[in-house]
Amino acid sequence: MVRRELRRDLAVLPMSVVRELTGLSDRQIRYYDQQGLIEPHRGAGKQRRFSLDDVDRLLEIADYLDAGYSISEIHEVDAKKQRREAEKVDPDDVNMRHMLADELLKIGRFNNGQRKF
DNA sequence: ATTCTCACA
DNA sequence: TGTGAGAA
């Protein structure tokens, strides 16, 4: 039996669902899209279709923003992330970066309580 | 009914 | 970022 799992990379979620799942306004979601932070697929009528990965990405973006990062700074982080992804193919380094990123976000959240968790 | 783009008394 | 207009 092939292990049939949930495909978090399939873009099948409409705005309404993503809005609920992230707590973001569709205005914000479209804005992050324009800024190139996410590239959801398009369906009939150019309507955006998001994947669960996109939802995670959106939450990540919201966290960075709450932590005080600017859109451009988030792009910097992405760029830096890709460069290392290209060079060092060290799996341990990848995990370490994720851990550091999480810590940065936690610190950011404590430095400005705006998020309504 | 929903979502999209564009523009701002 | 919000909001409203007009189209799809």
Side-chain angles (χ1 to χ4, degrees):
Chain A
M1 285 288 143
V2 290
R3 206 154 204 291
R4 246 175 285 278
E5 296 183 45
L6 231 182
R7 300 205 50 186
R8 328 188 105 77
D9 59 324
L10 251 40
V12 296
L13 284 24
M15 266 303 251
S16 56
V17 174
V18 178
R19 187 202 299 142
E20 297 285 309
L21 260 27
T22 63
L24 296 169
S25 64
D26 45 331
R27 175 76 178 74
Q28 294 175 297
I29 297 172
R30 295 198 185 96
Y31 179 63
Y32 303 152
D33 183 7
Q34 293 178 203
Q35 301 310 301
L37 264 29
I38 52 170
E39 20 199 303
H41 290 184
R42 296 290 187 143
K46 292 187 176 181
Q47 295 189 175
R48 276 164 262 250
R49 282 302 148 70
F50 308 81
S51 66
L52 289 175
D53 284 333
D54 289 330
V55 174
D56 277 344
R57 171 61 171 159
L58 250 1
L59 291 174
E60 183 181 289
I61 293 170
D63 279 342
Y64 272 108
L65 257 22
D66 285 345
Y69 283 66
S70 65
I71 299 292
S72 58
E73 287 174 325
I74 294 178
H75 276 131
E76 300 294 283
V77 175
D78 291 344
K80 195 159 297 182
K81 180 172 294 183
Q82 291 188 220
R83 288 177 228 154
R84 298 186 177 181
E85 220 78 78
E87 316 168 347
K88 302 178 181 180
V89 189
D90 190 325
D92 288 318
D93 183 52
V94 174
N95 291 317
M96 180 56 82
R97 288 210 313 290
H98 286 168
M99 293 179 77
L100 288 174
D102 287 340
E103 291 309 308
L104 274 175
L105 292 176
K106 287 181 182 176
I107 294 173
R109 278 200 285 261
F110 283 128
N111 288 331
N112 62 82
Q114 296 177 52
R115 207 50 180 172
K116 51 288 176 185
F117 282 121

